[in-house]
Amino acid sequence: MRKDGDGIIMKEKNYEKQEIYSSMKRNLSKAIQAGFYYEAIFIEYAIIEDRCTSLLKHANIRWVESNGNELKLSTKLNKLRSNPKFVLPYVRKRLPLDFIDRIDSWKKQRDRFIHDLAKIPYDDDNVKQVAMDGNEIVRILDNKSRSVNRFYDKQMG
């Protein structure tokens, strides 16, 4: 057991969450293979947000607002950019600023697609590219967040 950034005691292994996460990754793969790029983008966003939350939790950094709502992804990315715990050489090597900027850029593209869904004609090539970029970000972020989370777990003993 350990406490997160809000003092909430968490179990070390949450098998239900692991199963949900595994299911999301399988669904992401299926969506991309089937050409359901908007679905892939929705799943990618959820995974990216989850991984950013996980990084903040493991570093014991506040990830919710005072009203209990989870911070927005852009706020989480800002914390990953600037919080002293993420500037440590070990962490910054795994989560370089250009990668965090890449996530932020992808998020902005995704936001434009979602907000303009009913306004613009469907552009398969652009939607596909955003989905493929998101899939690559998910792959990298999943790997790097695991490494950084283990680093913080060892520090908090």
Side-chain angles (χ1 to χ4, degrees):
M1 299 272 203
R2 64 180 182 74
K3 292 184 179 183
D4 72 6
D6 293 311
I8 299 169
I9 296 177
M10 301 172 22
K11 290 183 180 177
E12 287 300 322
K13 286 285 184 184
N14 185 336
Y15 294 105
E16 182 179 354
K17 180 156 175 65
Q18 281 182 321
E19 181 51 40
I20 291 168
Y21 190 72
S22 294
S23 175
M24 288 176 67
K25 294 212 39 183
R26 283 190 304 272
N27 289 338
L28 173 57
S29 179
K30 289 177 188 177
I32 287 177
Q33 288 174 359
F36 298 146
Y37 301 120
Y38 274 112
E39 181 176 350
I41 291 168
F42 285 128
I43 296 168
E44 289 161 355
Y45 188 91
I47 291 172
I48 290 168
E49 185 142 38
D50 178 76
R51 294 295 82 205
C52 289
T53 298
S54 177
L55 285 161
L56 295 175
K57 284 180 179 180
H58 284 265
N60 203 28
I61 296 170
R62 188 167 188 81
W63 56 276
V64 294
E65 298 172 344
S66 56
N67 63 7
N69 292 333
E70 197 166 318
L71 296 173
K72 294 180 180 183
L73 180 56
S74 56
T75 304
K76 292 175 190 175
L77 292 173
N78 286 336
K79 286 181 179 260
L80 295 177
R81 274 189 194 96
S82 61
N83 187 287
K85 287 187 176 182
F86 289 100
V87 179
L88 296 171
Y90 179 90
V91 177
R92 184 55 72 215
K93 182 178 179 186
R94 283 148 187 81
L95 294 172
L97 291 174
D98 62 336
F99 181 63
I100 296 168
D101 291 342
R102 181 178 174 194
I103 296 169
D104 196 32
S105 177
W106 177 86
K107 178 204 168 301
K108 289 174 182 169
Q109 286 181 297
R110 173 257 179 211
D111 289 351
R112 275 193 299 278
F113 278 133
I114 301 308
H115 295 298
D116 292 339
L117 194 56
K119 297 178 189 172
I120 58 174
Y122 182 76
D123 183 349
D124 190 54
D125 290 337
N126 281 336
V127 175
K128 179 180 180 181
Q129 187 59 52
V130 171
M132 299 309 286
D133 289 348
N135 193 42
E136 179 69 6
I137 289 169
V138 164
R139 185 187 66 73
I140 294 168
L141 185 59
D142 189 43
N143 182 318
K144 300 301 182 185
S145 65
R146 236 180 278 136
S147 174
V148 171
N149 287 347
R150 279 194 301 268
F151 171 78
Y152 283 118
D153 288 349
K154 284 180 185 175
Q155 284 197 334
M156 293 183 192

